Amino acid sequence: MNDLLIRGGRVIDPANDLDAPADVAIRDGRIAAVAPSLDPSQARDVIDASGHIVTPGLVDLHTHVYWGVTYWGIEADPVAARSGVTTWVDAGSAGAYSFPGFREFICTASRVRMFGFLNLSAIGLIAPTWEFANLDYCDVDLAIRTVEENRDIIVGIKARIDHNTTRGVGIRPLQLARALADRVALPLMVHIGNGPPPLHEIVDLLRPGDILTHCFTGGTHRLLTDDGRLSPIARELQQRGVLLDIGHGTGSFSYRTAEAALQEGVFPDVISSDIHQLSVQGPMFDLPTTLSKFLNLGMALPDVIDRATRRPALAIGKLELGTLRLGSPGDVAIFRVEEGNYAFFDVDMNKRQGNRRLVCTTTVAGGTVLPRVPERPPAIWAILPDHQRHNAPNASHRTTPP
Ligand SMILES: [Zn+2]
């Protein structure tokens, strides 16, 4: 007897090279069967997914979920229920001083699966920025001990490198983050935006398996030449095995950069949201909205799903996630692909029309359907920049600040 049967959907599971009509059965919290037709009388609960697509639960490689403690953090469970994201990888919200709380109050307390990149800065992302401006917080030995005590959760090292985070100390924090990542043998996720330090000093320190997040930024670190074409650095990084990750956020997704890349056949390795207190209010909103932007830029649906399931799972070395392989955790997302006329915006509110969008109808985590519950209102400091606040459409479902 199966606990849950998801019937009649189009199943897209890139890790298994599967894109076909199929039923998915879950038993004891794990995937028990995927087949063209499974007997509904052998299941306690049945979800009719006809006309829908069924994917592995999404893996969001860049999130901020340390709510109540950090500037950026949101509560993951309510967003998971409406977005299909069952694995949340926190991108450096916690440093050594705040990691015990992240483990106990966030990872243990959440219904969804969670991992984290440890911030090199021991204070993590308590404040909006400046975490590296005081190098005393860059305690490599303390970070190593934190990793060794939390290897079940920590999947990499995070360093945000831009003019604010590093104010006055240049490339030094990234050199220290490089040394730390090497010592613990984990990938390094580096955020780019606006220099100094300049982009070339940053990419010189990246190694195979590392992640360049905000890869399609429009900031001064953008992967564009002066005449608006894709910088050769983008392809070089991918050839070296460095992963290009979207990390949309509030300041890090530019249609100009994205279009230049796709035009040259350079696709992001991972599509992640960088969901946080601000970006959840729009124009990012959530991972399905971000995926829809790439769908409407011309990427095929299975390729888009691949970059939010198999590939991010691979990036963190968790091959049992982001797939519907037999025996893997019972994490499943169900979507409707709606057709119509939709406006999408990058972070500078440049608009693109699209004719398809992914809307999550059901999120199953560990074999259980996540209940739709209200989200917390934005934190009192989380006020969108004017240009986004006044133009963001579809924001009415959120409580926007005055
Ligand atoms: Zn981020």
Side-chain angles (χ1 to χ4, degrees):
M1 197 74 179
N2 292 313
D3 298 317
L4 181 64
L5 178 65
I6 300 166
R7 282 189 89 193
R10 169 185 170 191
V11 176
I12 301 178
D13 181 11
N16 277 324
D17 213 7
L18 178 65
D19 180 358
D23 296 350
V24 177
I26 299 176
R27 190 185 323 150
D28 297 332
R30 303 209 159 251
I31 304 294
V34 178
S37 182
L38 293 165
D39 182 358
S41 71
Q42 293 301 303
R44 254 181 284 278
D45 280 308
V46 178
I47 296 175
D48 178 10
S50 49
H52 290 62
I53 68 162
V54 176
T55 73
L58 302 184
V59 179
D60 194 341
L61 189 64
H62 188 151
T63 69
H64 294 277
V65 292
Y66 200 173
W67 77 273
V69 171
T70 64
Y71 177 94
W72 302 102
I74 59 149
E75 190 185 16
D77 283 346
V79 182
R82 67 164 168 86
S83 68
V85 178
T86 54
T87 299
W88 293 66
V89 185
D90 184 278
S93 298
Y97 298 152
S98 54
F99 206 85
F102 177 68
R103 166 181 276 282
E104 178 144 353
F105 308 137
I106 303 296
C107 298
T108 305
S110 299
R111 300 186 64 164
V112 291
R113 226 168 286 286
M114 285 191 174
F115 300 99
F117 282 79
L118 177 72
N119 205 308
L120 162 65
S121 171
I123 60 169
L125 303 181
I126 289 283
T129 184
W130 321 293
E131 66 269 19
F132 292 141
N134 184 339
L135 285 173
D136 292 338
Y137 293 139
C138 299
D139 186 334
V140 172
D141 289 329
L142 179 63
I144 290 171
R145 277 162 36 221
T146 304
V147 171
E148 295 309 346
E149 281 189 8
N150 298 280
R151 284 242 180 218
D152 54 335
I153 298 177
I154 296 176
V155 292
I157 301 301
K158 177 76 187 291
R160 301 197 305 170
I161 303 297
D162 64 41
H163 69 299
N164 275 325
T165 60
T166 64
R167 196 174 281 177
V169 300
I171 199 70
R172 186 69 187 142
L174 188 56
Q175 293 168 335
L176 293 168
R178 168 81 273 149
L180 167 58
D182 290 344
R183 287 277 302 278
V184 296
L186 287 175
L188 178 57
M189 178 189 272
V190 176
H191 135 141
I192 54 171
N194 289 294
L199 182 66
H200 69 90
E201 288 187 24
I202 297 169
V203 299
D204 280 355
L205 286 163
L206 298 179
R207 305 283 177 263
D210 288 344
I211 298 147
L212 186 74
T213 194
H214 309 320
C215 66
F216 290 168
T217 178
T220 64
H221 287 151
R222 62 185 172 270
L223 294 171
L224 285 181
T225 61
D226 290 341
D227 58 358
R229 297 168 58 88
L230 184 71
S231 160
I233 296 170
R235 206 181 290 271
E236 280 165 30
L237 284 167
Q238 280 191 326
Q239 280 163 357
R240 261 162 60 190
V242 174
L243 306 179
L244 300 183
D245 169 47
I246 293 302
H248 185 308
T250 315
S252 307
F253 175 70
S254 155
Y255 269 124
R256 233 178 114 222
T257 311
E259 286 162 350
L262 296 187
Q263 214 152 57
E264 305 228 356
V266 171
F267 295 89
D269 294 286
V270 175
I271 302 176
S272 67
S273 67
D274 190 13
I275 192 166
H276 55 60
Q277 279 286 342
L278 294 167
S279 65
V280 72
Q281 300 177 53
M284 192 292 291
F285 293 114
D286 52 29
L287 189 55
T289 305
T290 306
L291 298 177
S292 300
K293 292 178 186 180
F294 284 90
L295 204 56
N296 285 292
L297 284 169
M299 282 179 71
L301 179 59
D303 290 343
V304 168
I305 298 300
D306 187 31
R307 281 154 177 84
T309 53
R310 182 183 69 94
R311 288 177 184 242
L314 197 60
I316 59 169
K318 304 288 176 193
L319 302 188
E320 75 281 16
L321 299 178
T323 175
L324 300 174
R325 197 174 296 126
L326 295 195
S328 56
D331 296 352
V332 184
I334 306 177
F335 297 93
R336 210 168 43 231
V337 183
E338 293 187 346
E339 299 195 357
N341 271 319
Y342 308 109
F344 295 98
F345 295 84
D346 70 8
V347 298
D348 297 314
M349 300 311 287
N350 296 305
K351 181 170 152 182
R352 298 290 186 271
Q353 286 301 135
N355 55 24
R356 284 181 300 169
R357 70 176 179 194
L358 282 171
V359 175
C360 175
T361 58
T362 307
T363 304
V364 180
T368 306
V369 174
L370 292 183
R372 298 278 177 124
V373 290
E375 290 164 48
R376 287 166 200 279
I380 53 173
W381 56 82
I383 296 168
L384 280 183
D386 279 352
H387 69 285
Q388 292 180 348
R389 180 156 36 116
H390 295 313
N391 297 317
N394 314 322
S396 51
H397 71 286
R398 300 283 303 162
T399 312
T400 43

